[in-house]
């Protein structure tokens, strides 16, 4: 039912933000998501079949999730219900389900759109399941967070996840041109400032239109175009899109780790600075550097672990911002160090073997015999003290008798310090073979 404001005809004449005025009127108008709403897009194909499953729209802010959900309601014969998980609770959900049941009794389904669906807790998410299963609702949830982390597995198994892209510069340029057509005026920006404006938007379509509106409002028609510096004074730079507890956190630490593993110090420094600029816990970064030293460098450069721990101690001692240079130094060291995961692989293989064979006893030869009974049982018999043997190496078997063949867990590569370790192991293997052959 229309309110008095709408009934009086005042709504159309009320001021509306540029982003609202430019909201797409049909799915093909949604910019930057052709893989979903283009001629061969996933959603386009679904609509052609006449059946829309429950959906989760996952994408960054300003990528078009809410717009697609609203337009989808117009493309179907479903009643449309919209809730925001930020402002709704159990009571609002119950009312929405009741309305959906009433629609169903009249032979009509309901498209229930939940914005920010990841804000609902687990039990609230579970409340959707019976209504999705019996067809009372077609759920369309929008989220900026990775559904794998934030949504129940049961809910995800009943929905199709559509991933929306961050808007690229070409798409942002399209939106700027639409804004110029709507306002009937060119943005008063030189080429450098126009590029800077797109950078400030950070892939967010709503943000680029809001920023454009600020520029239109702040610069009189006919004025000299703004350069980059003047633009920065006119509009505030947006904070980086980075949430320490959400997916941005996992994406950037993963990128940092892989850049170090891939021996690319420039890329590693870039991701390190992205995290520092976003407010990441410096000691979390330090702990991850220690992990890299162990997992990806290992004995190829034993000094890496020393450097990583020293960086952590230096940050503890100096704090910010000076201590961040220690983290940068450690990052460069890790990225330029020789790489080896031989320790990691050996540990995993030995752990599998330990679990598979259970509690088998070591060979009696290498066990102590503190009692006469144990001595009579052969404990410690024929043990060779390595320091008394030629080259301080006995070549005895130290594995349990249950091992039919001597396993090889640790296989150092021909890189860094492990090249020397490998020479030792090869030499000892040769001595072991010669002495056991006698």
């Amino acid at each position: 039912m229309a309110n008095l404001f709408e009934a009086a005809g005042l709504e159309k004449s009320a001021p509306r933000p540029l982003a609202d005025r430019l909201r797409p009127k049909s799915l093909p108008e949604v910019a930057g998501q052709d893989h979903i709403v283009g001629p061969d897009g996933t959603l386009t194909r679904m609509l052609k079949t006449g059946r829309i499953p429950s959906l989760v729209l996952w994408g960054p802010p300003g990528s078009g999730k809410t717009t697609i959900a609203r337009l989808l309601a117009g493309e179907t014969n479903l009643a449309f219900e919209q809730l925001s998980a930020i402002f709704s609770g159990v009571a609002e959900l119950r009312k929405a389900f009741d309305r959906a049941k009433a629609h169903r009794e009249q032979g009509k389904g309901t498209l229930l759109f939940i914005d920010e669906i990841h804000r609902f807790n687990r039990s609230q998410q579970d409340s959707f399941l019976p209504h999705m299963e019996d067809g009372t609702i077609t759920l369309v949830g929008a989220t900026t967070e990775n559904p794998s982390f934030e949504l129940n597995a049961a809910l995800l198994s009943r929905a199709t996840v559509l991933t929306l892209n961050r808007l690229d510069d070409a798409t942002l340029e399209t939106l700027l041109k639409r804004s110029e057509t709507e306002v009937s005026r060119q943005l008063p920006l030189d080429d450098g400032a126009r590029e800077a404006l797109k950078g400030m938007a950070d892939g967010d379509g709503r943000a680029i239109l809001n920023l454009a509106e600020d520029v239109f409002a702040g610069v009189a028609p006919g004025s000299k175009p703004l350069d980059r510096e003047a633009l920065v004074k006119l509009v505030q730079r947006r904070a980086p899109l980075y949430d320490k507890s959400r997916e941005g956190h996992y994406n950037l630490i993963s990128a940092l780790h892989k850049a170090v593993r891939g021996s690319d110090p420039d890329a590693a420094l870039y991701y390190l600075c992205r995290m520092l600029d976003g407010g990441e816990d410096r000691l979390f970064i330090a702990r991850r550097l220690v992990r890299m030293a162990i997992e990806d460098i290992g004995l190829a450069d034993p000094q890496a672990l020393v450097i990583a721990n020293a960086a952590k101690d230096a940050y503890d001692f100096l704090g910010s911002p000076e201590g961040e240079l220690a983290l940068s130094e450690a990052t460069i060291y890790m990225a330029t160090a020789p790489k080896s995961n031989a320790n990691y692989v050996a540990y995993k293989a030995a752990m599998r073997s330990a679990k598979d064979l259970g509690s088998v006893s070591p060979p009696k030869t290498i066990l102590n015999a503190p009692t006469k009974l144990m001595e009579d049982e052969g404990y410690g018999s024929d043990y060779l003290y390595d320091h008394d043997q030629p080259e301080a190496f006995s070549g005895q078997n130290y594995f349990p008798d249950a091992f039919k063949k001597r396993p090889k867990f640790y296989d150092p590569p021909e890189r860094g310090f492990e090249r020397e370790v490998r020479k030792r192991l090869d030499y000892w293997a040769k001595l072991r073979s010669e002495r056991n052959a006698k």
Side-chain angles (χ1 to χ4, degrees):
M1 181 180 292
N3 58 34
L4 293 176
F5 185 73
E6 295 169 329
L10 298 176
E11 185 188 41
K12 292 182 180 179
S13 61
R16 296 167 58 206
L18 183 60
D20 187 51
R21 299 193 328 255
L22 289 175
R23 192 180 292 276
K25 307 273 190 307
S26 64
L27 286 170
E29 291 181 30
V30 177
Q33 310 300 341
D34 284 352
H35 64 295
I36 293 177
V37 297
D40 298 316
T42 306
L43 196 52
T44 304
R45 294 198 303 271
M46 289 178 178
L47 285 168
K48 287 179 180 177
T49 68
R51 179 185 173 277
I52 297 294
S54 289
L55 302 171
V56 174
L57 304 178
W58 171 33
S63 55
K65 300 182 295 296
T66 302
T67 295
I68 288 175
R70 288 176 175 172
L71 293 173
L72 186 58
E75 297 282 348
T76 65
N77 293 319
L78 301 174
F80 185 64
E81 293 277 349
Q82 179 174 353
L83 294 174
S84 170
I86 297 175
F87 303 111
S88 305
V90 174
E92 288 78 13
L93 281 175
R94 187 176 293 116
K95 291 176 183 177
F97 295 147
D98 288 342
R99 289 192 295 270
K101 290 176 183 176
H103 289 310
R104 191 180 186 192
E105 290 172 358
Q106 298 169 7
K108 193 176 184 68
T110 298
L111 189 152
L112 177 58
F113 173 56
I114 306 293
D115 199 15
E116 305 287 348
I117 191 171
H118 61 275
R119 301 290 187 115
F120 277 144
N121 61 36
R122 300 289 173 174
S123 60
Q124 287 171 318
Q125 291 179 30
D126 284 340
S127 69
F128 293 110
L129 302 181
H131 306 293
M132 295 167 66
E133 289 176 346
D134 66 13
T136 300
I137 64 168
T138 297
L139 176 68
V140 177
T143 178
T144 56
E145 305 301 333
N146 191 323
S148 300
F149 298 146
E150 302 297 332
L151 299 184
N152 286 2
L155 190 153
L156 281 177
S157 70
R158 293 164 174 80
T160 299
V161 177
L162 299 182
T163 305
L164 280 71
N165 295 328
R166 177 183 183 275
L167 303 189
D168 58 20
D169 278 4
T171 303
L172 294 176
E173 180 63 31
T174 297
L175 295 180
L176 288 181
K177 289 178 178 177
R178 289 183 185 178
S179 73
E180 290 170 332
T181 300
E182 174 68 21
V183 178
S184 301
R185 178 184 167 200
Q186 292 292 308
L187 271 168
L189 302 173
D190 66 18
D191 291 343
R194 196 177 182 99
E195 291 302 310
L197 191 73
K198 287 182 278 190
M200 292 176 186
D202 200 16
D204 185 328
R206 183 170 48 251
I208 195 73
L209 294 176
N210 289 340
L211 288 166
E213 188 166 32
D214 289 343
V215 173
F216 283 128
V219 182
S223 298
K224 180 182 177 181
L226 303 180
D227 60 15
R228 184 186 296 262
E229 184 178 348
L231 172 65
V232 171
K233 290 180 180 178
L234 179 64
V235 297
Q236 295 296 314
R237 176 181 176 271
R238 298 177 71 239
L241 179 62
Y242 181 69
D243 184 336
K244 292 180 288 182
S245 65
R246 303 292 182 178
E247 197 197 353
H249 162 87
Y250 297 105
N251 285 346
L252 289 184
I253 194 61
S254 175
L256 171 62
H257 196 146
K258 289 180 173 64
V260 168
R261 181 182 293 154
S263 301
D264 189 333
D266 296 317
L269 276 177
Y270 167 72
Y271 290 117
L272 172 70
C273 291
R274 280 276 301 276
M275 298 183 78
L276 294 175
D277 187 45
E280 180 58 78
D281 179 1
R282 275 56 175 161
L283 291 179
F284 168 78
I285 296 174
R287 286 193 294 272
R288 192 64 177 241
L289 290 172
V290 170
R291 176 182 164 185
M292 295 174 202
I294 298 168
E295 183 177 318
D296 293 294
I297 299 171
L299 290 175
D301 184 350
Q303 193 68 13
L305 182 56
V306 177
I307 295 290
N309 273 310
K312 182 264 294 181
D313 291 341
Y315 182 82
D316 268 344
F317 184 62
L318 294 174
S320 293
E322 293 84 356
E324 289 159 10
L325 280 174
L327 300 179
S328 173
E329 181 179 327
T331 299
I332 293 172
Y333 190 96
M334 302 293 164
T336 56
K339 304 299 186 297
S340 170
N341 70 341
N343 168 47
Y344 180 80
V345 172
Y347 171 78
K348 292 289 187 182
M351 181 61 74
R352 283 194 301 271
S353 185
K355 289 181 177 180
D356 289 346
L357 287 174
S359 303
V360 293
S361 176
K364 291 181 179 179
T365 303
I366 63 172
L367 299 181
N368 292 331
T371 68
K372 182 66 169 63
L373 175 61
M374 296 173 73
E375 186 178 340
D376 292 343
E377 288 292 320
Y379 282 58
S381 62
D382 300 322
Y383 172 66
L384 300 175
Y385 185 57
D386 284 83
H387 293 290
D388 290 341
Q389 306 305 312
E391 301 185 72
F393 182 80
S394 67
Q396 289 183 120
N397 173 51
Y398 297 99
F399 279 100
D401 295 336
F403 282 83
K404 303 303 181 185
K405 181 181 178 183
R406 177 184 174 83
K408 186 173 185 179
F409 302 130
Y410 179 52
D411 186 21
E414 291 274 357
R415 287 191 298 277
F417 179 72
E418 280 185 301
R419 182 181 291 110
E420 299 303 316
V421 175
R422 188 175 190 89
K423 289 179 182 177
R424 295 177 202 167
L425 292 177
D426 289 344
Y427 180 61
W428 288 331
K430 176 175 175 290
L431 291 181
R432 183 181 293 110
S433 176
E434 291 173 353
R435 293 175 186 181
N436 288 336
K438 293 178 180 180

